[in-house]
Amino acid sequence: SYSFCTLLITCTNKMPRYQVRFKAQMEGVEKLTFGTDFRFNLACEHPSGGEEFPNLWVTQEEELGIPNSRGTCHVCVKVGDKRHGTIKIEKFDKDFVYTADQAGTFAPVCELECRDLEPKGWNIDQSASEFIAYGAEEKTKFEDIEFDDGAWFDYDDQAACEVSIQELAFEFKRV
């Protein structure tokens, strides 16, 4: 009698994906959205080399070719002697809305497909992005919000109350 053994090797070329998740505490703010030209300022590192990249600007508006590849990405940096680390924004909801009902809980913003780079931080204070907040009953629109030390404060004249967005936090969840 003969025994027959088949070895099946499946090769996958999946790159790590990270879901970018955001949360904040909001007072007097009904919703927070991103402007049309949203750009992340991320801190990343090379997973095996320990090389750090503290200020990588990532925008979906700028698509780059990957050296020695037919693929594209949104960020490409040299890591090590000959390799390139890349980040590609996937599943970005340009109509992202963070509501008062969600305050204090994480909400997904987008997914990042990463090769030879691992996201470690989102420099929200330095992101050259347009954040837009809407006051009570969405009557007042606050544009070009800048976060100083992770917080923003203003006054809503129409609702006659103070408004704030504080305790900004993020996380990268591997998916």
Side-chain angles (χ1 to χ4, degrees):
S1 116
Y2 293 95
S3 72
F4 184 77
C5 182
T6 303
L7 178 62
L8 176 64
I9 299 175
T10 304
C11 181
T12 60
N13 193 15
K14 277 193 157 182
M15 290 184 272
R17 293 175 82 92
Y18 298 90
Q19 185 180 64
V20 180
R21 296 163 45 98
F22 169 86
K23 78 174 180 176
Q25 292 294 336
M26 302 189 305
E27 292 293 326
V29 175
E30 288 295 315
K31 68 180 184 179
L32 176 68
T33 64
F34 301 138
T36 55
D37 182 27
F38 191 80
R39 295 181 288 159
F40 294 97
N41 182 311
L42 299 177
C44 298
E45 74 177 20
H46 184 261
S48 59
E51 204 172 348
E52 295 182 4
F53 302 91
N55 288 299
L56 292 180
W57 290 95
V58 186
T59 176
Q60 205 167 21
E61 304 302 317
E62 185 176 311
E63 198 161 302
L64 308 168
I66 301 171
N68 303 316
S69 171
R70 288 180 282 181
T72 61
C73 63
H74 296 107
V75 168
C76 184
V77 294
K78 191 170 183 181
V79 294
D81 292 334
K82 297 180 182 180
R83 297 186 60 97
H84 288 87
T86 62
I87 298 175
K88 184 169 187 157
I89 299 173
E90 300 283 345
K91 297 183 181 179
F92 180 65
D93 182 4
K94 288 189 179 207
D95 298 321
F96 174 81
V97 176
Y98 190 77
T99 66
D101 294 337
Q102 294 172 294
T105 60
F106 281 105
V109 175
C110 71
E111 284 185 16
L112 303 175
E113 183 180 83
C114 302
R115 175 179 283 166
D116 287 329
L117 287 175
E118 185 175 330
K120 293 296 182 184
W122 177 5
N123 306 316
I124 294 175
D125 291 349
Q126 296 175 19
S127 289
S129 303
E130 185 178 296
F131 288 90
I132 302 167
Y134 295 86
E137 298 176 19
E138 299 182 31
K139 290 181 181 177
T140 306
K141 182 178 181 179
F142 300 92
E143 297 183 88
D144 299 325
I145 292 174
E146 292 184 21
F147 293 104
D148 295 317
D149 297 323
W152 168 79
F153 300 91
D154 208 326
Y155 189 80
D156 185 341
D157 291 326
Q158 291 184 17
C161 68
E162 292 181 2
V163 292
S164 67
I165 301 171
Q166 302 178 62
E167 299 176 33
L168 295 176
F170 64 87
E171 68 181 7
F172 299 103
K173 182 180 177 187
R174 192 157 179 171
V175 292

